[in-house]
Amino acid sequence: MKVNSDVEFITLNRNEPFYQDALDLRFTLFFEPVNLPRNVIFDDVEARSNHLALTREGTLVAYLRLTETSENHYQLSQMVVTPKDQGKGFGHQLVTEAIQYLRARSATDVTLSARLNAIRLYRSVGFVVSGNVYLSKRTGVEHINMHLKLKKHQNKNATKGH
């Protein structure tokens, strides 16, 4: 699905090159700086998660992972934007597309653990902070929990009762 003239929103299959690019980007930005091994990426939800991305001209621009944690409830995680594309709105664009993706699947709410420098991004699409700042057990980086309740779309042609 084209999101604008040059960026495409896609779901990733785990055996395709864009997924491998996403693994590399996640490792480089999240885990390598804190000296963790590459296999830390393959946690207990990686295989059953939905992998979403933005691509442009045959290259990965941004990625995130959605995991259903209970019926109609999802966890958004591992959201990354390539360093050269950061600050250009691609993170906002991908999270917005992910929310639409979840609405189409009847999701009712989404949670995430945000790095503190990403709070503004998530707030801009409707997430609210829930809880206090804590250190990630894997990386030692400060995070805070956030959540978003998804409203059900009403049929515009439905009539209200009198």
Side-chain angles (χ1 to χ4, degrees):
M1 169 185 189
K2 291 280 186 191
V3 223
N4 69 34
S5 61
D6 66 341
V7 179
E8 185 174 8
F9 172 71
I10 61 172
T11 57
L12 299 178
N13 183 317
R14 288 182 35 231
N15 61 5
E16 67 180 279
F18 285 134
Y19 177 72
Q20 295 305 313
D21 293 344
L23 292 176
D24 292 343
L25 184 60
R26 289 162 57 194
F27 177 69
T28 299
L29 295 182
F30 293 147
F31 304 112
E32 191 174 43
V34 291
N35 299 313
L36 290 173
R38 184 175 173 88
N39 66 356
V40 74
I41 294 171
F42 302 102
D43 58 16
D44 59 343
V45 300
E46 183 71 16
R48 66 182 175 89
S49 295
N50 298 292
H51 304 275
L52 310 178
L54 292 179
T55 62
R56 181 182 59 216
E57 299 173 359
T59 61
L60 182 77
V61 175
Y63 163 90
L64 64 74
R65 178 174 80 172
L66 295 172
T67 308
E68 190 169 21
T69 56
S70 60
E71 188 174 354
N72 298 324
H73 175 85
Y74 286 79
Q75 173 83 25
L76 186 156
S77 62
Q78 302 288 304
M79 205 286 284
V80 291
V81 177
T82 59
K84 68 181 176 120
D85 293 310
Q86 291 177 6
K88 298 177 182 175
F90 293 118
H92 182 275
Q93 194 170 354
L94 180 57
V95 174
T96 300
E97 289 293 328
I99 291 167
Q100 294 309 314
Y101 176 91
L102 290 172
R103 282 190 172 121
R105 284 152 184 78
S106 301
T108 56
D109 60 312
V110 188
T111 59
L112 59 84
S113 297
R115 287 180 174 218
L116 302 186
N117 64 346
I119 293 171
R120 194 173 101 220
L121 162 70
Y122 294 119
R123 279 188 172 150
S124 75
V125 295
F127 280 87
V128 295
V129 169
S130 56
N132 297 313
V133 174
Y134 65 92
L135 295 179
S136 165
K137 290 179 183 173
R138 281 199 295 180
T139 64
V141 174
E142 289 184 322
H143 283 71
I144 194 159
N145 291 327
M146 300 184 81
H147 72 276
L148 173 67
K149 291 282 186 195
L150 298 175
K151 295 179 176 70
K152 293 182 181 177
H153 283 240
Q154 294 181 355
N155 182 343
K156 292 180 181 178
N157 298 325
T159 56
K160 293 183 179 179
H162 291 71

